[in-house]
Amino acid sequence: MNLFAIFADHLRAVVGALAVEGILPAGLDVSRVVVEPPRDPSHGDLATNAAMVLAKDARLKPRDLADLLAARLGAIAGVRRVDVAGPGFINIALDGSFWPRVLAAVLTQGRAYGSGSIGAGARVNVEYVSANPTGPMHVGHCRGAVFGDALANLLAFAGFAVTREYYINDAGAQVDVLAQSAYLRYREALGETITIPEGLYPGDYLKPVGRDLVAKYGRTLLDKSEAEWLPLVRIIAIDDMMAMIRTDLAALNIRFDLFFSERTLHARVGGNSSIIDRLMDDLRARDLVYQGSLPPPKGAPVEDWEDREQTLFRATQFGDEIDRPLVKSDGAYTYFAADIAYHKDKFDRGFRQMIDVWGADHGGYIKRMQAAVKAATAGEGHLDVEICQLVRLLRNGEPVKMSKRAGTFVTLRDVVEEVGVDPVRFMMLYRKNDAVLDFDLAKVVEQSRDNPVFYVQYAHARARSILRNAKEAFPDLPLEPAAFAQAELSRLDDEGEVGLAKLIAAYPRLVDQAAAAREPHRVAFYLYDLASALHGQWNRGKDLPHLRFIIEDDRNSTYARLALVHAVALVIASGLSILGVDAPEEMR
RNA sequence: GCACCCGUAGCUCAGCUGGAUAGAGCGCUGCCCUCCGAAGGCAGAGGUCGCACGUUCGAAUCGUGCCGGGUGCGCCA
């Protein structure tokens, strides 16, 4: 039950009816009409810009059109008053019976409240993390992982059919380096003293891989040439790295529907052409690939630039700034070529909408990838790319020093173990994804108002606590969700109570908008507001005892307020579950 | 040199896709526990929305140009 959507429908019906009657021209474009909560609550419950947006096409003055619309809107059941204000705003005030109806809907729908409006079951593929399988995940991966996961949750809640996908970069040179590094650890596990040369991965996390290789192959790999052992070692190493990454992700409560291997794109089984080969054939057939050379970048001089003929994709035809290479000088495909094939594969698996979550350092690749998707899917596929900016890790305001070479980089697991999943997830989402984020290890575990994670969880715990206490005061009151719908909700007429009801009524719209904008942080900020309203109402009961949620000698008012509290708890729990954060029964 | 992101209160940030008097936390000042969880709440002070033009009935939001910060810029991944 999205109040704002309902009134948007009412409005379209009114405009349609006026057109039928010949009062307004037919076919007015209502796409810019919005129904939203007015910024100032004294203006009413709903506001619309309809008159101002439609005035020009209707050939009426905004105020006159507003009067016309207002008269019709005033006739709708549940509407108490309609005003025209300012340049032509239409403000709608609902009568007191309306908020109880919203609450009743929440209590009936339970956790389904707010879900499923805009997705309409459309399939969406969300690809995120996709960290190289060459080591444990570090903090840098954390934000993209949490953002992608929460975005997927949000879209699923908004009614999309979401597939969560991880792209394993297991085909490039870096996994050969991984295999070489693992082979050294294998020899080490067999008793040799090793030194790890520059360019290989020095981390201790490869020692277990060495032991796994001994367990599987004994000493037999020692006699083989590199060309022979490398593929064998590579498989084990990648499997072990992916197992480690899955464990890291599990620590953040993140799971994927599909891990897609880049290697499968390159594979030529039984002498057949690979998926990338077939993509290239397709692009060539449509004259989107050619042999040519690129101009050197202007400005910043590139050392040892040499003009070179290469295989290029006509990215400029699809909005990119320059054509992009698909084949390396050694004849292998570029990462970009594989990536095009991968996205084409997603499209062929039935995804018209694809969302990729990338780190800030990949911002320069968005245009070429979108161009490629357009080209490879003949314009039918659509790729959105969400960029997660850097995270600056702090401790009490001081930057945490990290150096990969010194082995002092902080892993994702370190952070989760130090502060816990909930603070990590919430704080990573309590900022727009395209803004740099400061993450202070000391502050996020503080249990105070400074810490929004705690503040929101506390509101939920407080609501649950009220319900527990009510059970003692009124042992015979039925506190099951369904029974609450029988409460006399019209007793909720205090402004603080109505304020809470209005916030609850705004939740479905918020979900729609956050999903459409791909912005899970809006859910986090909304929850903060809702928590604040609950804490506020609680404290009003300190000064004004008749406003307390539990009134010992007023069973009916208590019951209505418990229904409200229960609805608040439901919505907080719902929002937190989108963020992947726990909604605790009590704080410890 | 070019592309993308950011610039809002002393600090850290929201601002509902162009609406009405720009909001919150921290910090500062002053209040509120014999009372459902004070791990909380209320009030006050504090802003030329980086700058300048432009579009519009209406701009923090859209366009153009500057200024400042970040990321990236032929075969790597």
Side-chain angles (χ1 to χ4, degrees):
Chain A
M1 165 157 195
N2 183 340
L3 194 57
F4 304 94
I6 290 170
F7 271 83
D9 286 343
H10 282 318
L11 202 53
R12 279 189 282 273
V14 166
V15 171
L18 287 168
V20 169
E21 294 167 34
I23 299 171
L24 290 180
L28 284 176
D29 175 17
V30 294
S31 63
R32 288 175 58 217
V33 172
V34 294
V35 178
E36 59 188 357
R39 191 157 292 171
D40 184 343
S42 72
H43 289 142
D45 299 312
L46 304 162
T48 178
N49 62 352
M52 293 177 289
V53 171
L54 300 175
K56 190 174 274 182
D57 289 344
R59 287 183 290 277
L60 285 170
K61 288 180 187 161
R63 295 281 309 208
D64 294 345
L65 178 55
D67 288 335
L68 202 55
L69 296 173
R72 301 291 176 107
L73 290 169
I76 294 169
V79 172
R80 180 164 54 85
R81 203 186 70 224
V82 182
D83 297 320
V84 176
F89 284 102
I90 301 172
N91 291 321
I92 302 167
L94 303 175
D95 66 36
S97 69
F98 216 95
W99 306 112
R101 274 160 47 203
V102 172
L103 278 184
V106 178
L107 295 165
T108 306
Q109 294 178 43
R111 286 295 292 275
Y113 173 67
S115 71
S117 355
I118 62 165
R123 298 187 66 195
V124 182
N125 184 292
V126 185
E127 182 210 326
Y128 52 108
V129 187
S130 299
N132 287 342
T134 55
M137 294 179 65
H138 55 80
V139 246
H141 297 117
C142 192
R143 190 174 188 186
V146 171
F147 174 83
D149 192 57
L151 178 59
N153 290 345
L154 174 60
L155 293 173
F157 192 66
F160 290 91
V162 178
T163 295
R164 300 143 189 270
E165 198 153 319
Y166 183 120
Y167 183 53
I168 308 172
N169 296 132
D170 53 3
Q174 83 285 354
V175 286
D176 290 343
V177 173
L178 172 74
Q180 285 155 356
S181 311
Y183 187 72
L184 277 181
R185 295 298 186 178
Y186 164 72
R187 285 166 44 192
E188 184 184 44
L190 289 171
E192 282 185 46
T193 303
I194 59 162
T195 53
I196 299 166
E198 193 77 11
L200 295 195
Y201 298 112
D204 283 349
Y205 57 84
L206 288 174
K207 286 182 177 173
V209 182
R211 291 195 289 273
D212 285 352
L213 287 165
V214 173
K216 174 142 190 188
Y217 292 106
R219 304 183 66 85
T220 61
L221 296 181
L222 290 176
D223 304 326
K224 295 190 191 301
S225 67
E226 176 163 334
E228 290 173 313
W229 61 249
L230 193 125
L232 304 174
V233 172
R234 194 169 52 201
I235 289 175
I236 302 279
I238 291 172
D239 279 357
D240 283 3
M241 292 303 101
M242 284 311 297
M244 192 164 66
I245 286 170
R246 279 177 220 238
T247 310
D248 287 349
L249 290 166
L252 272 177
N253 297 331
I254 293 174
R255 58 163 193 85
F256 284 90
D257 297 310
L258 182 64
F259 288 85
F260 190 98
S261 160
E262 180 188 358
R263 198 159 280 277
T264 61
L265 299 170
H266 294 268
R268 292 175 175 136
V269 281
N272 290 319
S273 55
S274 71
I275 295 175
I276 306 181
D277 293 336
R278 293 198 289 276
L279 169 87
M280 294 292 289
D281 290 345
D282 176 50
L283 293 179
R284 280 202 182 90
R286 292 193 286 138
D287 192 30
L288 297 175
V289 176
Y290 68 103
Q291 296 299 120
S293 59
L294 293 171
K298 296 188 178 76
V302 177
E303 285 176 41
D304 63 12
W305 173 273
E306 53 177 293
D307 197 40
R308 175 186 308 126
E309 179 119 320
Q310 43 193 342
T311 306
L312 297 169
F313 161 61
R314 295 189 192 280
T316 45
Q317 282 192 11
F318 301 90
D320 200 0
E321 280 118 28
I322 200 168
D323 290 339
R324 305 290 177 178
L326 296 170
V327 180
K328 292 192 272 186
S329 48
D330 66 359
Y333 289 122
T334 59
Y335 182 87
F336 182 52
D339 227 346
I340 302 175
Y342 174 44
H343 284 79
K344 174 65 159 53
D345 186 80
K346 289 183 193 173
F347 178 78
D348 291 342
R349 282 185 275 134
F351 297 104
R352 293 292 177 276
Q353 289 186 68
M354 305 167 227
I355 299 175
D356 287 3
V357 178
W358 293 351
D361 54 341
H362 286 61
Y365 293 77
I366 298 175
K367 279 189 184 174
R368 82 185 60 171
M369 204 58 238
Q370 288 178 328
V373 167
K374 235 184 272 177
T377 66
E380 286 182 45
H382 184 77
L383 172 69
D384 277 331
V385 180
E386 300 299 329
I387 290 293
C388 285
Q389 271 295 344
L390 302 173
V391 175
R392 289 196 306 178
L393 199 61
L394 308 172
R395 191 186 301 277
N396 289 315
E398 295 296 316
V400 174
K401 295 258 186 287
M402 279 189 277
S403 157
K404 212 163 189 175
R405 291 188 56 188
T408 58
F409 68 102
V410 180
T411 65
L412 183 148
R413 200 93 63 85
D414 293 337
V415 174
V416 174
E417 280 171 7
E418 178 169 341
V419 307
V421 198
D422 288 344
V424 171
R425 292 195 58 123
F426 196 99
M427 292 313 291
M428 291 285 168
L429 295 166
Y430 198 61
R431 194 111 312 176
K432 273 184 303 200
N433 56 291
D434 49 11
V436 178
L437 179 149
D438 287 347
F439 188 89
D440 195 307
L441 291 165
K443 286 193 178 150
V444 298
V445 294
E446 270 176 27
Q447 300 215 332
S448 74
R449 162 125 227 199
D450 304 18
N451 183 349
V453 191
F454 167 77
Y455 187 75
V456 172
Q457 288 187 318
Y458 179 33
H460 184 264
R462 184 173 247 179
R464 302 298 302 171
S465 167
I466 292 166
L467 295 169
R468 283 193 299 273
N469 288 329
K471 215 174 189 82
E472 289 183 19
F474 297 96
D476 57 325
L477 267 185
L479 298 182
E480 302 78 52
F484 275 127
Q486 307 305 315
E488 293 175 42
L489 298 170
S490 57
R491 289 171 174 269
L492 300 171
D493 55 0
D494 173 71
E495 63 176 314
E497 293 165 351
V498 174
L500 277 166
K502 286 184 182 180
L503 270 174
I504 289 169
Y507 183 60
R509 179 171 180 267
L510 173 103
V511 169
D512 285 356
Q513 291 186 323
R518 282 95 165 89
E519 290 185 343
H521 78 271
R522 294 194 198 188
V523 176
F525 280 95
Y526 167 82
L527 289 176
Y528 188 89
D529 287 344
L530 183 56
S532 179
L534 182 73
H535 289 312
Q537 186 65 5
W538 167 282
N539 275 81
R540 290 182 71 214
K542 289 179 179 300
D543 295 333
L544 307 168
H546 70 280
L547 289 181
R548 290 179 196 166
F549 294 112
I550 299 171
I551 308 285
E552 302 280 345
D553 58 358
D554 187 343
R555 181 188 173 86
N556 289 333
S557 290
T558 298
Y559 200 40
R561 289 171 189 183
L562 292 179
L564 177 64
V565 168
H566 188 262
V568 171
L570 268 176
V571 172
I572 293 180
S574 169
L576 284 175
S577 81
I578 290 173
L579 305 183
V581 174
D582 186 45
E585 289 296 307
E586 55 187 327
M587 306 302 287
R588 283 186 299 274

